[in-house]
Amino acid sequence: MIIFLYIFLTGLILGSFYNVVGLRVPLKMSIMHPRSACPYCKHVLSPLELIPVLSYVFQGGKCRSCKAPISPLYPGMELMTGLLFAISPLILGWTEELLVSWSLISLFVIIFITDIKYMVIPDKILLFFALNFLLERIFIPLNPWWDSIIGAASGLGIMLFISVASKGGMGGGDVKLFGLLGFVMGIKLVLLSMFLSTLFGTVIGLLLMAAGRVKKGKPIPFGPFIFLGTLTAYFFGQNILAWYFRLLL
Ligand SMILES: [Zn+2]
């Protein structure tokens, strides 16, 4: 129980850091300086105002100085990071693979922010995580290890094909991202994650359109759906595939 609470709190704190990374890296700002401030009145946040989630709750979702509303996106991402971090060992068990899952969650939280705020997946972020996953997969390889190579090649290849066929309808960031995801998950799960991301994107996109929340033809950020599709594939892919093949046979 205590260890789960500890992992959850670590996730909350990291989530708060990922908010800063996601907001600043696309603007080519340093992630250390200046200290976080209210975007409206430039009031520099005190340590008390930097406590993840709680500061948002106690300030009623407003800046303590100018009362401008703070987007619920930020405490939401902190909470999501904490919860996903704590859920991982429940699904995967206490294995080394937990490190990979926490890295994957971290990558997605950061991309979620950059994609929602700026509609980009920065190369700098992808490069950082590429090095990180390379190290992790050297020490915690897929079985067989070359599944990483085939996965990366198919992730990159298929997305490149879609990107060219759709004449840039799919961004270059997404192409590189799926190359990276293929490296982490191997060919079967990266294919499943593409399928699920598209499925979730289509269903939720149509629902939002029907509800009048987005206009037809206006691009919606794909990052959140890749987040959902990939984590579903990563955590439950083996079960989903087993279930699917049982249906077929
Ligand atoms: Zn303010």
Side-chain angles (χ1 to χ4, degrees), residues 129-230:
F129 278 95
L131 293 174
N132 172 71
F133 285 129
L134 185 65
L135 275 178
E136 286 178 347
R137 278 288 175 248
I138 286 174
F139 293 104
I140 315 160
L142 289 177
N143 180 24
W145 66 267
W146 40 264
D147 196 10
S148 277
I149 314 286
I150 302 178
S154 39
L156 209 59
I158 294 172
M159 292 306 276
L160 196 61
F161 174 77
I162 296 176
S163 164
V164 171
S166 68
K167 297 193 171 66
M170 182 67 66
D174 294 318
V175 176
K176 291 175 228 167
L177 174 62
F178 271 102
L180 190 54
L181 294 177
F183 181 79
V184 177
M185 306 199 295
I187 181 164
K188 270 190 280 180
L189 294 189
V190 79
L191 292 180
L192 181 65
S193 96
M194 280 178 193
F195 172 73
L196 291 176
S197 308
T198 318
L199 181 72
F200 292 146
T202 312
V203 171
I204 297 171
L206 285 175
L207 286 177
L208 287 175
M209 244 182 252
R213 294 293 299 272
V214 287
K215 291 212 177 64
K216 221 176 154 185
K218 189 174 175 280
I220 33 177
F222 195 45
F225 303 115
I226 303 180
F227 188 142
L228 198 62
T230 304

Side-chain angles (χ1 to χ4, degrees), residues 38-43 63-68:
C38 166
Y40 301 99
C41 68
K42 312 294 173 208
H43 158 70
C63 166
R64 221 172 57 172
S65 166
C66 72
K67 306 292 172 211

